[in-house]
């Protein structure tokens, strides 16, 4: 089955740029979605189809996808960005949804 | 505004059954695929099952296939998850989630979740 790998944690200083990666075999050929989950809340879609943002998501959050790595970039990080972030794809070979293990972003 | 209201969670003994519901509003329910995603305490998101808008196509994770059944009543805008032969490892918050369109698309709306605890 397809596996998505994320680092357990990433730290960033307020105002700096955080990059959260999602590794997978030839993930560049998949459409990647990203979700933000704050403590005690349901997940929220922040990027879909590699780099598109739903309405209401700030431009500071952006996505890219190439080769074996997809990346969620959070520019000018704020305290409110502290959350767990999950990448997700649809694996057409198995008709399964696949989530990465999640990355906890800490804004120090 | 899209709203998804999960319900039906609770405490159940190992080997028991439980049926979850998700009441949807604010969109054309029958036009969208729907899913269940769960999250064990302190763990990440795990996909459970997806059902097409028509209800004709179903998809299950390997961990629940043969034990869980996803269904929908488009006349009542409600999604269901029948869970049988429950195990301790099924303990989790269960979220219903709306697909943006078909089964292959992203989850663009989520319910608040309902907690299922499997314990004796």
């Amino acid at each position: 089955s397809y596996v998505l790998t994320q680092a357990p944690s990433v730290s960033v200083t307020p105002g700096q740029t955080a990059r959260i990666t999602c590794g997978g075999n030839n993930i560049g050929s998949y459409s990647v979605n990203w979700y933000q989950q704050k403590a005690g809340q349901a997940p929220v879609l922040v990027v879909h189809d590699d780099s598109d943002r739903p309405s209401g998501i700030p431009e500071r959050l952006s996505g890219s996808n190439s080769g074996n790595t997809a990346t969620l970039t959070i520019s000018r990080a704020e305290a409110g960005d502290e959350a767990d972030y999950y990448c997700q794809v649809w694996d057409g070979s198995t008709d399964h949804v696949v989530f990465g293990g999640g990355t906890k972003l800490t804004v120090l | 505004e899209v709203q998804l209201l999960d319900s039906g969670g609770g405490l159940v003994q190992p080997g028991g059954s439980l049926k979850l519901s998700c009441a949807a509003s604010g969109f054309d329910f029958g036009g969208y695929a729907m899913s269940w995603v769960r999250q064990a305490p302190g763990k990440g998101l795990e996909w459970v099952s997806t059902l097409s808008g028509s209800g004709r196509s179903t998809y299950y994770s390997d961990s629940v296939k043969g034990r869980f059944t996803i269904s929908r009543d488009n006349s009542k805008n409600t999604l269901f998850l029948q869970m049988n032969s429950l195990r301790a490892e099924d303990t989790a918050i269960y979220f219903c989630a709306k697909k943006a369109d078909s089964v292959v698309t992203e989850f663009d709306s989520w319910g608040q979740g309902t907690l299922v605890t499997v314990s004796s």
Side-chain angles (χ1 to χ4, degrees):
Chain A
S1 59
Y2 194 68
V3 175
L4 296 176
T5 301
Q6 296 184 243
S9 63
V10 168
S11 297
V12 65
T13 302
Q16 299 304 303
T17 297
R19 292 178 179 83
I20 298 171
T21 61
C22 177
N25 185 30
N26 195 28
I27 193 174
S29 66
Y30 293 77
S31 181
V32 179
N33 308 307
W34 291 92
Y35 303 88
Q36 176 194 71
Q37 186 181 32
K38 297 183 178 180
Q41 298 183 20
V44 172
L45 177 70
V46 293
V47 167
H48 65 92
D49 295 313
D50 296 339
S51 59
D52 292 337
R53 278 183 307 275
S55 61
I57 302 301
E59 292 184 7
R60 300 186 298 106
L61 277 66
S62 61
S64 62
N65 184 19
S66 179
N68 293 318
T69 305
T71 302
L72 175 69
T73 301
I74 303 174
S75 304
R76 303 182 299 282
E78 304 172 353
D81 296 326
E82 277 208 346
D84 294 323
Y85 291 85
Y86 296 89
C87 57
Q88 174 261 312
V89 302
W90 171 265
D91 180 7
S93 66
T94 58
D95 286 342
H96 278 29
V97 171
V98 181
F99 283 101
T103 296
K104 182 177 182 61
L105 176 68
T106 301
V107 181
L108 300 170
Chain B
E1 178 192 5
V2 172
Q3 290 195 347
L4 301 172
L5 186 60
D6 307 318
S7 63
L11 175 63
V12 60
Q13 291 188 339
S17 299
L18 206 59
K19 188 172 186 177
L20 306 183
S21 300
C22 172
S25 61
F27 64 103
D28 176 25
F29 182 69
Y32 295 88
M34 297 291 295
S35 295
W36 291 96
V37 176
R38 68 185 181 184
Q39 187 169 36
K43 302 297 184 182
L45 301 175
E46 180 190 10
W47 171 70
V48 173
S49 182
T50 294
L51 179 61
S52 64
S54 66
R56 285 193 288 266
S57 298
T58 58
Y59 308 84
Y60 296 96
S61 68
D62 295 344
S63 61
V64 307
K65 193 170 186 177
R67 300 187 299 124
F68 290 11
T69 301
I70 191 171
S71 62
R72 64 194 298 160
D73 184 339
N74 287 347
S75 69
K76 295 183 178 179
N77 291 351
T78 305
L79 177 73
F80 303 101
L81 185 68
Q82 176 67 47
M83 304 185 295
N84 299 330
S85 303
L86 283 161
R87 307 166 180 166
E89 53 265 36
D90 295 317
T91 294
I93 296 173
Y94 285 72
F95 298 98
C96 75
K98 170 186 169 290
K99 288 280 193 171
D101 189 352
S102 70
V103 296
V104 306
T105 56
E106 66 275 15
F107 301 110
D108 64 357
S109 295
W110 297 68
Q112 84 289 355
T114 186
L115 177 62
V116 173
T117 303
V118 184
S119 175
S120 55

